[in-house]
Structure formats: C-alpha cells, structure tokens
Amino acid sequence: MSESIGIAVVGTGDWGANLVRNFANAKGARLAALCDSDPLRLAQTGAQYPEARTVDDAREIAESDDVQAVVVSSSAISHYPLARLALEAGKDVYVEKPLTLRVDHAEELVRLAREKNRILMVGHLLIHHPAIQYLKRMVDGGELGDLYYIYSQRVNLGKVRKDENALWSFAPHDLSVILHLLGGEPIDVVARGSAFLQSRVEDVVFVDLRFPGGRLAHVHVSWLDPHKLRKITVVGSQKMVVFDDMEASEKIRVYDKGVDRAGQIVPYGDALTVRSGDILIPKISLQEPLRIECQHFVDCVRERRAPLTDGADGLRVVKVLAAAQASLERGGAPVALASLKQEVA
Ligand SMILES: NC(=O)c1ccc[n+]([C@@H]2O[C@H](COP(=O)([O-])OP(=O)(O)OC[C@H]3O[C@@H](n4cnc5c(N)ncnc54)[C@H](O)[C@@H]3O)[C@@H](O)[C@H]2O)c1
C-alpha cells in the first residue's frame, strides 16, 4: 500500500497528546482528525496540529472516509463503546489499556475485529519497550533458567482516577509483561486493596497470581505512595533480572546470582551453594517505546498483520484484571481464571 493511513485520535487528554505527537510523526500515516468531547482540550491539541480537523463527536470519525484507523485514548470507561463504534464502521482500531473494563466487552471487540477482518491492537506499551523485548529474548533463550517468580511495583503519588481503580489503571502494564514472559494465564488470582480517597475506588492493590508449575507473580499498584517506582524483578534458576523504568539509561540489570545444587553425594541441604556472580548492564536502545508502539500499529494496518499486542492479548489481560477485581470484592478470596467466564457472562 503506498497511500498513507488516515489516523484519527479520540481522546486527546494527558496521554492522548503523546499518542497524537507520535502518530503525527509515524511513517506511512497522516493525522486526519482529532476528537475530544472537551472543547477546551480539543482546541488546545487542534492548535498544534492544523493539518488535522477537529470534531467533538466520535460518530463523525466513524463516518469519515479519510479515516482508516481510529486510536481510542479516552477514559477507560468509554474504550468499549468507542472501539465498537469504530470497528462496526470498518476501521482498524488501537485502544489504550485496559482494552475494556469487562471480559464480555473485550470478547465482543475481538469477535467483531475478526468478523470485519480489522486490526485490533491494545496499548500494552511495555511489550514494545526495547528493555522488555531484551528480557523476553533472555527468557525464551533459556538464559535465566527456569522462571521461578516475578514481582512488580508501579506506585507513585499520582493521577487519581474516578472511573477505574488503581488496579485497572496501572496493573495492565505489569500483567501484560508477566503473561508475556511466563507465556500463559495464571491458575488463580488473589487481590486485596483499599479505597482511602474515594468510596469504592481502590487506591492501593496487591495482587498475587499462581501459575502452573508453582510459579508465582505479585503486582503492587498504588497512586498513593511516597515513591515513584516502575520496577519488575524476574527470578530464574540461573539468573535474576531487574527492569527499572525510572532509570534514565540503565533499564536492565542482569544478576548472575542463584542457588546451585553441587551434587548428590553430600546431604541435601549441604548440596545447595549460593552463587553471587557478576552484574551485567546491557546496552539497550533508548528509542521512545511509544514511538515504536505507534509505528507498529501503522505497519500492521498497512501490511494487514496481527499486532504483537492484539485484541487477544488485551482480552487475556482483562480476564486477569476481572479475576483480581472479583477477588478484591470478596476480601481476597482466590478466584480461578477458569471460573470467570460463567461469572462474568
Ligand atoms: N500506555 C500508558 O502508559 C498510558 C499512560 C496513561 C494513560 N493511559 C491510558 O490512556 C487513556 C487516556 O488517559 P489520560 O490520562 O489521557 O486521561 P485524560 O482524562 O487526561 O484524557 C481523556 C480524554 O478523553 C476525552 N474523552 C472522554 N470520553 C470521550 C468520548 N466519548 N469522546 C471523545 N473524547 C472523550 C476527555 O475529554 C479527555 O480529554 C486511558 O485509557 C489510560 O488508561 C495509558
């Protein structure tokens, strides 16, 4: 395809503005339209991109012939209706995380994209991050040995949302990485959290996930915390890795640390020896992950190929979020992923 893809961005708020900037500069794309229901926001963003027309109603975008792909970056509660509207109108669609706030809604979007033969991508940004791609190659290449457990911290004193709690706002990032690295869904999920600032909107949530083979993951999210942390620690039988997104350039540290079994001729406990070797800081591309992600969407639309973070990936993460939400509402009772479909439907 030689013509550029006409892109419309719906929701040009704090994060949407970053998407607009990246799509305006993506190769093979052209910013056709900007849409926001807030006239002030629309005027602000529109003034920076005079090449794009501005509209306040997404239905106008759905009806536009010069728009082939719609980017949904509105508040999470409106992801589902806006993405459905665009897919039904035959557009390719990029939706910010979380794909939806309900499993059946995510399933419907995936089904609709398949029926209409449209591209559906979710903004699981970290999967496009060069450091996480490096980590994934290490895991797949067996360099870490067997993966034992992963834990993440995504906390700060930050933007307090009303339509979604800290779980749905922050945890999609960590869960998408955990599922990507461990290559499958958890057996069950336990979550505890508390709503300190607003009734029924949890500000802090601790999630525990149990995977086949005894592997574990733990996710701590909060927008009520003195630290700003964006950290994922991966512990394998051979090596351990820390991804720290707050580091300007040294995002990944690989620790050649572990506990080895020396041999079977000594008593079992004596056969375990601690290995504390070198720490490696690999050189990782510092390209903006969002730029990579936006270009990936444009390339997938042009080449008609499934994105790395497609609708199925979005649905997988929504399922885990829904299980965690169900557990939260039951005071931390374990919720099996397999039981979820019947409960949500
Ligand atoms: N990938 C990331 O790292 C990342 C980071 C922050 C936010 N996000 C996601 O981006 C999305 C937007 O977040 P934000 O921080 O920019 O929120 P925001 O509240 O600053 O902006 C949302 C914008 O959408 C507009 N909007 C809402 N409903 C609309 C509708 N029906 N039609 C048109 N416009 C509508 C609002 O007027 C507002 O300007 C959220 O889904 C959020 O989860 C992703």
Side-chain angles (χ1 to χ4, degrees):
M1 189 192 284
S2 58
E3 268 180 47
S4 59
I5 303 291
I7 304 256
V9 179
V10 182
T12 65
D14 295 345
W15 187 250
N18 293 323
L19 288 162
V20 173
R21 169 172 54 80
N22 277 288
F23 279 112
N25 292 306
K27 289 192 196 79
R30 124 192 91 74
L31 204 55
L34 298 169
C35 171
D36 203 298
S37 49
D38 175 349
L40 202 63
R41 211 27 130 149
L42 189 59
Q44 274 171 359
T45 323
Q48 293 176 56
Y49 300 92
E51 72 273 28
R53 70 177 185 288
T54 52
V55 299
D56 62 4
D57 190 331
R59 281 173 297 189
E60 228 178 289
I61 299 283
E63 288 160 11
S64 305
D65 289 338
D66 66 336
V67 172
Q68 283 86 50
V70 176
V71 173
V72 177
S73 180
S74 52
S75 39
I77 200 164
S78 58
H79 287 183
Y80 164 68
L82 290 171
R84 193 185 57 182
L85 176 74
L87 285 171
E88 278 174 343
K91 312 295 184 195
D92 295 308
V93 178
Y94 168 105
V95 186
E96 255 313 326
K97 58 80 205 164
L99 177 58
T100 61
L101 294 178
R102 281 174 45 170
V103 173
D104 56 343
H105 286 172
E107 284 172 340
E108 194 188 329
L109 294 184
V110 170
R111 193 170 49 241
L112 201 52
R114 198 184 311 122
E115 278 169 16
K116 298 269 184 185
N117 200 18
R118 294 294 95 191
I119 305 288
L120 174 61
M121 174 164 157
V122 62
H124 289 162
L125 179 61
L126 286 180
I127 305 301
H128 302 273
H129 196 303
I132 295 296
Q133 296 204 335
Y134 180 93
L135 179 53
K136 173 69 172 161
R137 282 194 298 276
M138 285 188 84
V139 168
D140 289 352
E143 215 178 311
L144 269 56
D146 297 329
L147 281 197
Y148 286 161
Y149 69 93
I150 303 178
Y151 69 92
S152 69
Q153 297 147 298
R154 187 166 301 276
V155 302
N156 59 276
L157 196 62
K159 189 164 178 172
V160 177
R161 295 185 186 264
K162 290 194 221 90
D163 298 338
E164 53 179 335
N165 58 18
L167 171 74
W168 289 82
S169 178
F170 283 169
H173 292 298
D174 307 288
L175 293 173
S176 66
V177 172
I178 288 166
L179 300 190
H180 189 58
L181 294 180
L182 291 178
E185 291 178 7
I187 298 165
D188 59 19
V189 179
V190 164
R192 281 182 185 274
S194 263
F196 297 109
L197 302 178
Q198 305 168 87
S199 146
R200 300 171 61 85
V201 181
E202 286 81 4
D203 314 289
V204 54
V205 181
F206 300 91
V207 187
D208 286 315
L209 305 115
R210 194 167 58 98
F211 287 83
R215 293 173 303 168
L216 296 173
H218 174 81
V219 175
H220 172 198
V221 288
S222 171
W223 53 50
L224 191 57
D225 196 283
H227 308 104
K228 179 158 184 175
L229 298 176
R230 300 282 183 267
K231 217 181 233 192
I232 301 177
T233 302
V234 182
V235 174
S237 57
Q238 296 300 318
K239 288 184 183 167
M240 305 176 182
V241 179
V242 177
F243 164 67
D244 187 348
D245 213 5
M246 294 309 294
E247 282 281 342
S249 59
E250 299 175 355
K251 303 261 178 200
I252 289 261
R253 277 167 200 259
V254 183
Y255 295 82
D256 186 9
K257 289 186 181 209
V259 178
D260 296 330
R261 290 189 202 290
Q264 300 308 318
I265 39 171
V266 283
Y268 184 75
D270 297 344
L272 298 178
T273 54
V274 171
R275 175 175 35 81
S276 186
D278 293 338
I279 300 169
L280 171 78
I281 303 174
K283 189 167 187 292
I284 307 257
S285 158
L286 292 177
Q287 213 186 347
E288 187 185 3
L290 189 61
R291 183 171 166 198
I292 299 172
E293 185 184 52
C294 293
Q295 189 61 56
H296 181 68
F297 177 62
V298 173
D299 294 346
C300 288
V301 167
R302 289 173 69 86
E303 295 159 21
R304 309 311 300 164
R305 61 181 163 95
L308 188 57
T309 50
D310 60 4
D313 185 39
L315 169 61
R316 247 190 320 269
V317 169
V318 170
K319 274 188 186 169
V320 178
L321 288 165
Q325 182 65 37
S327 175
L328 257 184
E329 286 164 12
R330 293 173 206 169
V335 172
L337 262 277
S339 71
L340 199 66
K341 207 173 162 80
Q342 299 88 294
E343 287 175 20
V344 176

